[in-house]
Amino acid sequence: MKEQLESLQNEALDSISKTQDLKKLQEIKVSFLGKKGSLTSVLRGMGKLSKEERPIVGEVANRVRSSITAAIEQKNEELEAKAIEKQLEDEAIDVTLPGRPVQVGGKHVLTKLIEEIEDLFIGMGFEVQEGPEVETDFFNFEALNLPPNHPARDMQDTFYITNELLLRTHTSPVQARTMREYKGKKPVKMICPGKVYRRDNDDATHSHQFTQIEGLYIDRNVRMSDLKGVLNNFAKKIFGQDREIRLRPSFFPFTEPSVEMDISCKICGGKGCSVCKKSGWIEILGAGMVHPKVLEMAGYDSKEFSGFAFGMGPDRIAMLKYGIDDIRQFYVNDTRFLKQYHNA
Amino acid sequence: MLVSLNWLKNYVDIDSITPEELAEKITKSGIEVDGIEYIAEKSKNVVVGYVETCEKHPNADKLNLCQVDVGDQKLQIICGAPNVRQGQKVAVAKPGAILPGNFKIKKVKLRGVESNGMICSLQELGIEEKFVPKDTADGIFVFPNDVEIGEDVEPLLNLNDAILEFDLTPNRADCLSMIGIAYEVAAILDQDIHLPEVKIKTITEKAQNYVSVEVEDKELNPYYGAFIIKDIEVKPSPLWMRNYLIAAGIRPINNVVDITNFVLLEYGQPLHAFDYDQLQSEKIVVRRAKENETLITLDEKERMLTTDNLVITNGKEPIALAGVMGGANTEVSEQTTTILLEAAYFDGFSVRKTVKATGLRSEASTRYEKGIDPSRVKIAGERACQLLYEYANGKVLANSVEVDSLDCTKKTVEITTNEINKRLGTEISTEEIVSILEKLRFAFDQEKDHFTVEIPTRRGDISIFEDMLEEVARIYGYDNLPYTLPIGAADAGALTQRQNLKRKVKNFMESSGLMEGITYSLTDLNNSKKLISPDIEEENITPVKLAMPMSEDHQFLRLSILPELLRTLAYNNARGQRNTGLYELGSIFITEEEILTKQPEEKLRLAGALTGEWISHPWQQENKKVDFYVVKGIVEGLFEFLKLPATFKKEKLSDMHPGRCASIAVNNEPIGFIGQVHPMFVKKMDLKETYVFDINMEKVFSAYKKEPETKPIPKFPSITRDIAFIVDENVVAGDLKASIEEIGAPLVKKVRIFDVYQGKNLPEGKKSIAYSLVYRHPEKTLKDDEVEESYQQIIDEVNKKYDSYIRS
Ligand SMILES: [Zn+2]
C-alpha cells in the first residue's frame, strides 16, 4: 500500500508539473484529493491494514497528501501569475495616442499684469480703490487742478457725454474721490486700476479704450525720495532686478514737481536701439509730488500733509514686457493671442 | 519746438558739447528732447561757383551748357534748371561729391557733351521741399552776390546744423523762444548768456502822426504797441535768416514776414505787420467782435465772428483776429512800402477761445495761449524794427504808439534750505542752493538759509514754493535724489471683500475652461439695446450716447457685455477659431435719462459666450458640442462655489432661442439669464449654435457670505432609493425635483436626476423622469421601514400633484 501511495504521489506530481492550465489543475486536484479522488480511495483501504501498519501508512498518506497539495498550490500561483501577465499583455495600449483634453481657460494678459501690480503695491501698504468710468468734469479735471480752458486739457482728448459728464480720461478722479472720503485727516495709500477712454482713432499704438493704474500716497513728511524708492521697487519687480530707473522733469497739472520715469532699455542694455529711440531709456510712467492745490481742494492741509502720485498704463507695460506691437490685440481677443499669456 | 544749434550758439556757448550730450542733459533736467535731426547728411565737395557763361546745349533744347568758375578750377557743367543764368553764384557739386541719398557726382556725357559736376537745388542738398522758399523751389538755388567763389556751401546754407526737437510740456512756454532756451541751456551748462543788442535808429517823424491806438477791453489786451516803418523794400531776407527759419521749420517768404517770424522765434513774442496803406484809416481800435461780424483771414477764408473773439479793427471793420491771424486785406505784399508793426500782449484764455471757435492755430496763438513774457513785448517790437532797418531799408518812425496797462511786477517765492531738503529727502547745502539760483539767473535775497526768490517774468509757470522746489531739484539733478521708502509704508494693505470675490470668480471661470476677454465698453446703435438681462430693474433704460463719438462703432455705452463678446466670438470664428468659450467681468451703464443729468449707475456683470465643440476627443468617440447644459453646468458650478442657491426658470427673451433660455434667480431674486442666442441673431455674424450667460455681480456680492461654515462630515450611512415617474411631457424636471425635496424633507438630503426618457414603450405625450434620492439622518442609522414610509409618501403625493405614475 505504501508503494501504491508513492506511485500515486509520483503520478500526481508528474501531471501537476505538466499541466499549464488552471482548469486542468483544478481537475487534477479533484481527481487526486477530491471525495472520489484516487488518494481518498486508496485511504479508504486503510481499514484493512493491521494496527502496526496503520500509523506508518497513515504517515506516508499524509506526506503524500501535503506534497500533492503543496505542489498544486505552487502550480496554482504560478499559473495565476502567468494568466495575469497574459491578461495585462492583452490590455496593452498605444501610449502615444492623445489624452482626453481638459478645457483650460485663463485670465486676460492685462488682468494678470494688473493683479501682479496690485499685489506688489498691497505689499507696500497700498489699498486698491475703484471708481466710476463715467465721471464728472469736476472729478476728472477740476479737482485735479485742471480748470476749464486750462491748456493742459489739450493733452487729453475727452469723450464728453454732456458738458458736465464724460468718460474718464485717467483713473486719477478716483484719487480725488478717495481723498474727499478721507476728509483731509487720514493718510491715503492707494492705487486705482481701471478702464479709461480717450478720443483717439484706434491704431497700433492708440486705443480709444485702455487701462491705467494710478497711485496716491499722502501722509505727513512724504518726500520725493520716497517716490523714487517706491517706483524703483516697482520697476525692479515688474521688469527685473537688472533694470535701472531714471526720473526726468515733466509736467502734470496735479503734481509739482512732476516727473516721468524711464527704465533702462533691456534690448540694447542702455546703448541705444530702435526700441528706445536711441536713448537707452524707455518711458514707463508719469509721477510727481501732489500739487498743494489738489491737497487743499480735497481738504488736506498742504503744510501738514504731502504726498506723491503716479500713473501708468498696463497696456503699454504689457507691450514692452512681452514685445506686443499692436495695442488693439488686447481688445479684439483673438484666442490664439490670449492663450500665449495664460502662464504669465 | 525745433531748436537749431547753430542759431542757439549766438546766445550761449555750446561748442564744447556734442548735440547728443546736450540733448541728454536737457532731457534729464527739464525738457524732453524727442530727437536730433541733422539738416542734411554731410555733403562734401559742394562749393560756390560763378556761372561765367550759359548757353543752350547744342543737342538738347531744355539743357544749358555752363562754364562755371569754382575757384580752383573752371568746370563745364550741363544744367537742366530753367532758372540758371550767366552771372549767378550757385552751389556746385564737383565730381567726387556725394549728395544726400548717397548720390555720387561723376563726370558724365550728356547728349555727347561732357558735364563735370552738378549745379544744385536746395532739395538736392537735403533741404525738405516744404521749407524751400517758393521763388527757388522749381530750380537751382542762387546765392546773394556777397559770397566768395569756391567757398564751401555747407556753412553758407547751414547744412552742418543739428536740430533738437523739444517736446515741450504746456508749462514751459518760456522755451517757445530761442532766448528762453538759451536761459535753460545756460543754467544746465553753467554758461553765460548773450542777448542780442537792440538799438533802433529812428527818423524824426513820429508814429503818432500816422496812427492812434485805442483798446476797449484792457483785460484782454493790456498792451498794444504800434510801430510805423516806412520806405520798406520788400525782398528776400538775408541768407542767415532764411537758414535759421528753415532750420526751425518755417518757410522763408520775404524780408518783412521773415523778420516777424524770426523775432517770434527769437523772443517768443508774436508780431504782426500790416500794410499801412491798406488800413484805410489812421486808427487802430482793439475790441470784441460784434455778433456775426466777418473777417477774411490771411488763408483766404471768411471767418464768422462772435463777441468772444477779440479783433483788431481800423475803427470800422476787423483787420485781424487778435493773436491768431491777420486779415487778407492788410497783408504785406511786394508793393508794400509802409508797415504798421504790432507788438501786443493778448490774454491767453481769450486767444484760446478764438482758436477753439475758429479751429485756427498759429505759431502766434500757441504762444499767447501758453503765456508770453510781458517784459519782452516792446523790446521784441524794437528788435524787429532794427532788423527792418538793416534788411529792408526801412525808416523807423520815432516813438511807437502804445496803450500800456501791462503788469510786469515780479513775483517772489520764499524757500528755505531746510524745507527743500525735507520735501526732497536730500541734504542739499545752502551754498548749493545759492549756486542753483545763480545758474537759473533768478535774483534773490538771502538771510542765512532763507531765500526770497524773485521770479523773472519769463517764467510765468513759477508762483509757489513747489514750483521752486522743482527748479532746485531739477538743476540739482533727479539722479542725485536718494532712494527711500515712506515711513508709513509698514502698514499692511489688502484687497477688499469685493475685490477678492472678483478674483475668485475669475479663477473659477478659468478653472471651468473659459478664457477672459476684455471688450470695448462703447458699442454701436444696433448692439446698444441687445441681449439685456431681465434682472435689470429699471424700466425705461436707455443707452448713454457720446456727444461726439469718433466712430459709429463706438458711440453708446453698453447695457450688456454680450453683443461685443459675441463680436469677439465672430472675430475668432472668422479666423478659423471655431471652438471658443470666453467670459468678461465688466461694467454696464444704466440710466433712465435721455439726457444725462447725473452719472449712470455702473453695475458689474459677469457674461460668457460659448460656441463650437466643448470636448473634442474623436479617437475615443468622445465629442461634445457646447449645448445649454454645458453652459448651465458652468453657471451652476459657479453658484455652488459661491454657496448661493440658484434656480432656473424657462424664459422668453428677444434675440434668444424661445425654447432654450432660462432666467436665473437666487433666493427668488432675479440675477441673470442663460441660453442659446437666437440662430437668426448669430447667423448674421456667421456663427453657429452659440450659448451665453449673463449674471448680475452686484447681487452676487450682496448675497455672498464671506466666512465658509464648517459642518461636521456625516457620521451615519446614507440609503439611496431610485424612483421613475411617468408624467405629462410638459412637466419640467426641476419642478418635480423641488416637490420631491419638499415632501422628502428633512430625511431626503439630495435628489439627483439620472434619466429622462420619452418614446418607445411610453404612451404618447408622456415622459419618464428618474430620480435618485439620498436619505440620511444626522444622529442615527436609518431603518428600512423609515425610508420606505417616506418613499411611499413621496410617490403618493407626487402622483396626486402631477397626475403621474410609477414606471416599473
Ligand atoms: Zn534700446
Side-chain angles (χ1 to χ4, degrees), chain B residues 36-69:
Chain B
I36 304 172
E37 291 238 17
Y38 293 87
I39 281 263
E41 295 168 55
K42 300 262 180 261
S43 18
K44 288 275 170 270
N45 276 328
V46 186
V47 296
V48 175
Y50 178 73
V51 184
E52 292 188 321
T53 61
C54 176
E55 294 155 7
K56 283 261 167 284
H57 187 292
N59 308 322
D61 270 357
K62 291 190 173 160
L63 296 179
N64 299 294
L65 182 59
C66 307
Q67 300 300 329
V68 186
D69 178 1

Side-chain angles (χ1 to χ4, degrees), chain A residues 264-282:
Chain A
S264 54
C265 179
K266 192 180 181 178
I267 292 163
C268 62
K271 284 191 211 90
C273 67
S274 64
V275 171
C276 57
K277 288 197 275 176
K278 291 182 187 158
S279 70
W281 295 94
I282 293 171

Side-chain angles (χ1 to χ4, degrees), chain B residues 600-615:
Chain B
E601 289 199 61
E602 294 182 23
K603 304 280 185 162
L604 203 63
R605 298 199 73 94
L606 174 69
L610 297 85
T611 190
E613 285 196 329
W614 185 242
I615 294 165

Side-chain angles (χ1 to χ4, degrees), chain A residues 100 103 106-108 111 118 128 130 133-134 149 160 189 197 199 209 224-226 228 256 335, chain B residues 352 423 470 478 481 484 488 491 499 502-503 507 516 518 521 547-548 572 599 602 614 619 622:
Chain A
R100 183 183 187 278
Q103 272 297 329
K107 283 181 187 170
H108 195 281
T111 301
E118 281 175 354
V128 179
E130 290 155 298
E133 291 170 34
V134 176
N149 280 319
Y160 275 93
K189 301 161 189 187
Y197 305 85
R199 261 189 111 250
Q209 173 183 319
M224 196 162 171
S225 56
D226 296 336
K228 198 174 167 183
E256 186 71 40
T335 52
Chain B
R352 187 173 157 79
R423 296 289 195 94
E470 179 166 50
Y478 287 159
L481 292 186
T484 60
D491 301 349
Q499 289 157 358
K502 265 163 69 175
R503 286 201 187 180
N507 289 340
E516 184 188 19
I518 299 177
S521 309
M548 277 163 48
N572 277 290
Q599 284 159 282
E602 294 182 23
W614 185 242
W619 76 266
E622 203 184 350

